Amino acid sequence: MNVLLSAAFVVCWSSGFVGAKLGTQDAGATTLLMWRFLPLAVALAAFALYRGRAAWRPLAPRDLARQVLIGLLSQSGYLLTVYYAIQLGVSSGTTALIDGTQPLVAGALAGPLLRQYVSARQWLGLCLGLGGVALVTTADAASTTGVAWWTYLVPFAGMLSLVAATFLDRRSRTPVTPAVSMTVHCATSAAVFTAAAVATGTATPPADGSFWLATIWLVTLSTFGGYGLYWLVLQRSGVTEVNTLMFLMAPVTAVWGALMFGEPFTPQTALGLAVALTAVAVVRGASTRQGEAEAADSR
């Protein structure tokens, strides 16, 4: 079951980069993000009212404030930087590469912040995965022209925002159901992006049907699929394993971008995909051995 969830997470999360490129061809980042989250937040709020207060009752105002902050970091901050970078001309594969450095940052911080220390074998897998991601996107980044150097710092800031949200969530002692967290996060993002779109005069959506196709794509695959599965896999597998799966985003996005947008897919891309798959196997194997050893010690 965990393998199937992980595979679904990789596909759905990668779909976000593709959907962002599809949508920003016809509209700005704030327009696309506003119409991605505003109807979704209304629907989730209506569902929350229908379900009643049972799931919300255990949460104190401090817990809700934490969820708002997590939503600001993991959705608003992260997605705005990704969409804006793609709008500025950074390819979907290169954006996924920068996002793919998240496991090394998360792995380095997991020990001091969460006391989830990374073993030597896991570090080997993490570094191997970074090498695979770099192989996939180096050629793509080199072939991109007319893009200022500073635009590559934009998705890097988004990656740090998602890392911060992940650790903020893991340090929380109050359990929050996925339905509640999704509702709070999406409502927060809807408020942020609607305010930004209205303030910049970009709230009116384009009439092109591809915009609405991209919006539906992002709501179903990226929000419910990718974002929902991120927190589910995080709860089941931990920070190191879920972030190791991020190494697969760049190769999968590169394949998807090649099929949909004609982005480069070379033998170097295939090699990088193989290296990234090996990295995931190394980290998962180390985690399995560590779990078996801990279980044996507890007997």
Side-chain angles (χ1 to χ4, degrees):
M1 178 61 73
N2 285 341
V3 173
L4 293 177
L5 286 175
S6 297
F9 165 63
V10 170
V11 172
C12 290
W13 193 275
S14 300
S15 72
F17 298 103
V18 179
K21 183 162 186 175
L22 185 65
T24 53
Q25 291 177 341
D26 301 309
T30 53
T31 307
L32 181 59
L33 287 166
M34 170 186 168
W35 290 104
R36 171 180 173 177
F37 282 104
L38 187 57
L40 181 60
V42 173
L44 287 173
F47 180 73
L49 291 174
Y50 171 77
R51 288 288 301 272
R53 301 180 180 179
W56 298 79
R57 193 171 293 117
L59 302 180
R62 181 178 180 179
D63 299 320
L64 289 175
R66 177 185 287 267
Q67 289 302 314
V68 169
L69 181 56
I70 292 173
L72 283 172
L73 292 169
S74 65
Q75 281 191 352
S76 306
Y78 172 73
L79 291 175
L80 183 59
T81 55
V82 168
Y83 282 46
Y84 186 50
I86 292 176
Q87 181 182 333
L88 290 173
V90 180
S91 70
S92 58
T94 302
T95 304
L97 162 68
I98 299 171
D99 189 58
T101 62
Q102 177 183 340
L104 289 177
V105 178
L109 296 176
L113 293 181
L114 300 178
R115 299 185 182 277
Q116 297 180 7
Y117 292 97
V118 180
S119 67
R121 188 182 180 92
Q122 287 175 319
W123 273 118
L124 173 63
L126 292 172
C127 293
L128 186 63
L130 183 61
V133 172
L135 280 172
V136 170
T137 54
T138 297
D140 177 62
S143 64
T144 303
T145 57
V147 179
W149 66 268
W150 58 267
T151 58
Y152 294 94
L153 298 178
V154 176
F156 183 77
M159 179 272 295
L160 294 178
S161 182
L162 183 58
V163 169
T166 301
F167 283 107
L168 186 62
D169 175 79
R170 299 305 291 170
R171 288 176 65 89
S172 175
R173 297 181 179 179
T174 304
V176 180
T177 65
V180 170
S181 61
M182 180 75 75
T183 301
V184 175
H185 298 174
C186 289
T188 301
S189 295
V192 169
F193 294 131
T194 299
V198 171
T200 57
T202 57
T204 303
D208 199 311
S210 61
F211 172 84
W212 296 110
L213 174 62
T215 303
I216 295 172
W217 173 300
L218 290 166
V219 169
T220 55
L221 285 176
S222 305
T223 302
F224 285 114
Y227 188 72
L229 286 171
Y230 179 85
W231 299 110
L232 181 59
V233 176
L234 180 67
Q235 290 175 357
R236 290 192 171 203
S237 303
V239 172
T240 301
E241 287 194 51
V242 73
N243 281 284
T244 302
L245 294 172
M246 289 293 183
F247 283 133
L248 297 179
M249 304 308 173
V252 171
T253 302
V255 173
W256 216 330
L259 294 175
M260 287 192 65
F261 305 112
E263 294 180 348
F265 186 85
T266 64
Q268 184 175 336
T269 304
L271 176 61
L273 176 58
V275 172
L277 287 170
T278 302
V280 174
V282 168
V283 173
R284 285 188 170 273
S287 299
T288 300
R289 289 184 178 88
Q290 183 178 357
E292 292 174 350
E294 292 175 351
D297 292 339
S298 62
R299 292 173 186 171

